Amino acid sequence: MDTIQSPATQSFATGPARDDLRRLAAGTLMPGFTGIAVPVWILEAYDAGLAAVCLYGTNVASPVQLRELCAGLRAHSPNTLIAVDEEGGDVTRLHYLTGSTQPGNAVLGRLDDVELTAASASAIGHELAGLGINVNLAPNADVNSAPDNPVIGVRSFGAEPDLVARHTAAWIRGLEDAGVASCAKHFPGHGDTTTDSHLALPRVTADAATLDARELVPFRALVAARGATVMTSHILVEALDPDHPATFSSRILQDLLRRDMGFDGVIITDALDMAGASAQTGIPEAAVRALMAGADLLCLGSETGPALFEQTLTAIADAVEEGRLPMERLADAVARTAALSARFPAAGAAEIQEAAIRGQLGKPQRSGVPGDANALDGERIAEAFEVSEAAQRWLAREEPVAIVQVETGSNFAVGRVPWGPAATTSAVFREGEVPDGARVAVVGRGLDAEHPLWTVFARLRAEGHAVIAVECGWPRGGADIVTYGASLTVSQALTALLNGTKA
């Protein structure tokens, strides 16, 4: 068996030209890694020119461990990029073990107060900055026009383009004023899809006029706000390029995004380990194709490993030497990524530790935030909920309350984050343990017609209970209460509403 060598020690060819190519290639890569400590190969890759690293929920074991991990990365590499996917709401990495302290985009869109949206983003930004993280792969700028979208849903501000646009701009402002680069995603728009690009390649069949009036509106707001970065989507948009997914389309990235829309920031790919990107070619070839199309920083995925990192470096260097990838395009990508690091300098290891001593990590940053994030309490969050007349009658009843939560899978972007009333209280019943005479709220998410919640709902009603159905996601029809999210703070507001208490 061959021994895998690190980027600092392995050589695939003799001479400085090959070494220079490998360093340039490393300057476009953003791998993840497994485990809760930084592996040696990541540190050696930084020494060999690595541009960035991305942290995932599986890298987090506790707030203290996360702080030490970030401090270790910053001590070794003070000036490079550390990224995370901290959208707030259902998608959280800093609070992967408990659920996000922010309500998420769909709730913010329902409230439609741009200062509250900026405040939420600023709270996230201050927490990230205190950890030395200087790129946040958010906000989600997709217009969720397909109610049964399996991967966007409550990650979107809404289904109306202008609403999504103004909240995208506010989110960017709040985050970047806190010193963290934003990343609007998923260009040119993942909202009109019914396939998860983690699993397959979605197709968007809308015509060019519809795309211009719907999908592209929030991304024009990104350009106007001078947002730092944008993320590509692994979707085939037939009206823009019938042959290449957006991540690999120069017509979409170079002609549309850069030339026509005027975006001059960094183009980051969505994770190249997703099936929509690399199922047919493998990750190294996907990386080459993304660079050729105009991407600058390549997100490799959560479990990159040294072997895959080496293979990707080799593929990029080979592509330059073979003439497939122009040296000018590679150098441009490296320069743009380096400029991003200079624009958003990060806290160093000592500053991270100082922030921890001041108690600024592991909880929402409230002070000095536009609109005062304290105004976004449980009662205000509950204003975003849809509550039917049947639910209002249920809430007015006097019987004891029993909450039954039906376990529901989540998409890859969300992961295994605690959600719903079960994340906030131990007083959640199993179906067979509901007390006689109790009124019951049955809670789930993604409540399509085949969801198991409806079987539980029917059995409890047949037993004589007053029952309502609660949707902790995007509405798909039939639920009595819709919360538009399942983060910790939204779930606390829901639990308080059901129990008739103050959140």
Side-chain angles (χ1 to χ4, degrees):
M1 180 180 294
D2 294 336
T3 300
I4 297 172
Q5 295 177 284
S6 73
T9 60
Q10 189 175 20
S11 176
F12 290 93
T14 59
R18 182 72 177 194
D19 291 341
D20 290 344
L21 274 181
R22 286 170 52 79
R23 177 167 284 274
L24 283 172
T28 69
L29 300 184
M30 184 169 68
F33 57 86
T34 57
I36 59 174
V38 183
V40 172
W41 74 267
I42 286 284
L43 301 180
E44 293 177 336
Y46 271 134
D47 295 337
L50 179 64
V53 69
C54 188
L55 303 179
Y56 294 84
T58 52
N59 299 128
V60 179
S62 72
V64 172
Q65 170 269 332
L66 177 61
R67 183 185 72 235
E68 295 299 331
L69 184 151
C70 291
L73 282 168
R74 279 286 162 230
H76 190 87
S77 188
N79 301 316
T80 52
L81 300 169
I82 301 177
V84 72
D85 200 350
E86 187 64 33
E87 296 179 12
D90 287 20
V91 176
T92 180
R93 303 297 179 248
L94 298 190
H95 303 280
Y96 194 75
L97 304 178
T98 58
S100 176
T101 54
Q102 298 301 321
N105 286 4
V107 168
L108 292 168
R110 292 271 297 170
L111 295 173
D112 198 14
D113 181 336
V114 293
E115 292 307 318
L116 281 179
T117 294
S120 182
S122 182
I124 290 170
H126 281 90
E127 191 173 13
L128 293 173
L131 286 165
I133 296 170
N134 54 349
V135 179
N136 189 8
L137 304 178
N140 189 296
D142 299 311
V143 179
N144 197 63
S145 56
D148 54 349
N149 193 314
V151 70
I152 304 302
V154 297
R155 301 168 65 196
S156 168
F157 289 111
E160 199 277 313
D162 289 338
L163 180 144
V164 176
R166 62 179 171 266
H167 286 275
T168 294
W171 216 98
I172 289 169
R173 168 167 56 88
L175 183 75
E176 295 197 353
D177 283 353
V180 177
S182 68
C183 182
K185 59 190 183 186
H186 307 79
F187 188 81
H190 208 314
D192 189 29
T193 60
T194 56
T195 300
D196 186 344
S197 51
H198 292 86
L199 305 174
L201 178 63
R203 289 177 176 266
V204 174
T205 58
D207 59 35
T210 299
L211 295 170
D212 186 69
R214 188 177 64 191
E215 271 73 15
L216 297 183
V217 172
F219 292 101
R220 292 195 193 97
L222 149 77
V223 175
R226 298 192 60 79
T229 81
V230 66
M231 178 176 283
T232 68
S233 58
H234 309 320
I235 60 175
L236 192 70
V237 186
E238 295 178 359
L240 301 179
D241 188 336
D243 301 316
H244 304 96
T247 298
F248 311 116
S249 170
S250 60
R251 289 170 60 178
I252 292 175
L253 301 187
Q254 297 281 35
D255 298 346
L256 175 60
L257 181 58
R258 289 225 185 272
R259 184 193 66 197
D260 298 343
M261 297 179 66
F263 179 72
D264 62 0
V266 172
I267 299 175
I268 302 177
T269 70
D270 206 346
L272 294 178
D273 63 347
M274 295 163 62
S278 58
Q280 301 301 317
T281 67
I283 293 172
E285 176 61 17
V288 171
R289 294 185 182 189
L291 283 169
M292 291 168 59
D296 304 307
L297 184 57
L298 313 180
C299 180
L300 299 183
S302 61
E303 299 181 356
T304 303
L308 176 58
F309 183 76
E310 288 294 335
Q311 292 162 9
T312 306
L313 287 180
T314 299
I316 295 171
D318 287 348
V320 173
E321 291 181 338
E322 294 164 1
R324 295 176 59 212
L325 174 63
M327 173 65 84
E328 295 79 11
R329 170 78 274 275
L330 179 60
D332 175 61
V334 173
R336 289 181 184 275
T337 299
L340 178 67
S341 179
R343 179 180 169 188
F344 291 93
E351 293 172 288
I352 295 170
Q353 299 293 357
E354 182 182 348
I357 293 170
R358 294 198 304 267
Q360 294 181 357
L361 302 182
K363 59 184 180 181
Q365 180 64 239
R366 300 294 193 186
S367 60
V369 184
D372 184 5
N374 282 313
L376 200 58
D377 59 15
E379 291 186 4
R380 186 71 195 279
I381 289 170
E383 292 176 13
F385 297 174
E386 284 184 6
V387 181
S388 70
E389 290 184 4
Q392 291 172 5
R393 292 193 295 271
W394 185 94
L395 291 168
R397 296 174 70 113
E398 295 184 354
E399 299 98 325
V401 173
I403 301 173
V404 175
Q405 182 165 317
V406 179
E407 276 309 310
T408 307
S410 61
N411 60 52
F412 282 93
V414 173
R416 299 179 63 84
V417 178
W419 67 279
T424 73
T425 176
S426 59
V428 174
F429 292 86
R430 296 181 180 179
E431 179 190 353
E433 299 173 350
V434 174
D436 293 340
R439 52 186 163 130
V440 186
V442 188
V443 180
R445 54 183 176 180
L447 302 186
D448 58 25
E450 305 301 319
H451 197 285
L453 175 141
W454 299 115
T455 301
V456 175
F457 181 95
R459 282 199 293 256
L460 288 167
R461 175 165 286 180
E463 292 172 5
H465 295 283
V467 188
I468 58 170
V470 181
E471 164 70 83
C472 285
W474 193 270
R476 297 188 179 191
D480 299 292
I481 296 177
V482 181
T483 66
Y484 287 86
S487 73
L488 178 62
T489 189
V490 173
S491 299
Q492 288 169 337
L494 170 63
T495 303
L497 175 67
L498 296 175
N499 286 314
T501 60
K502 185 175 177 61

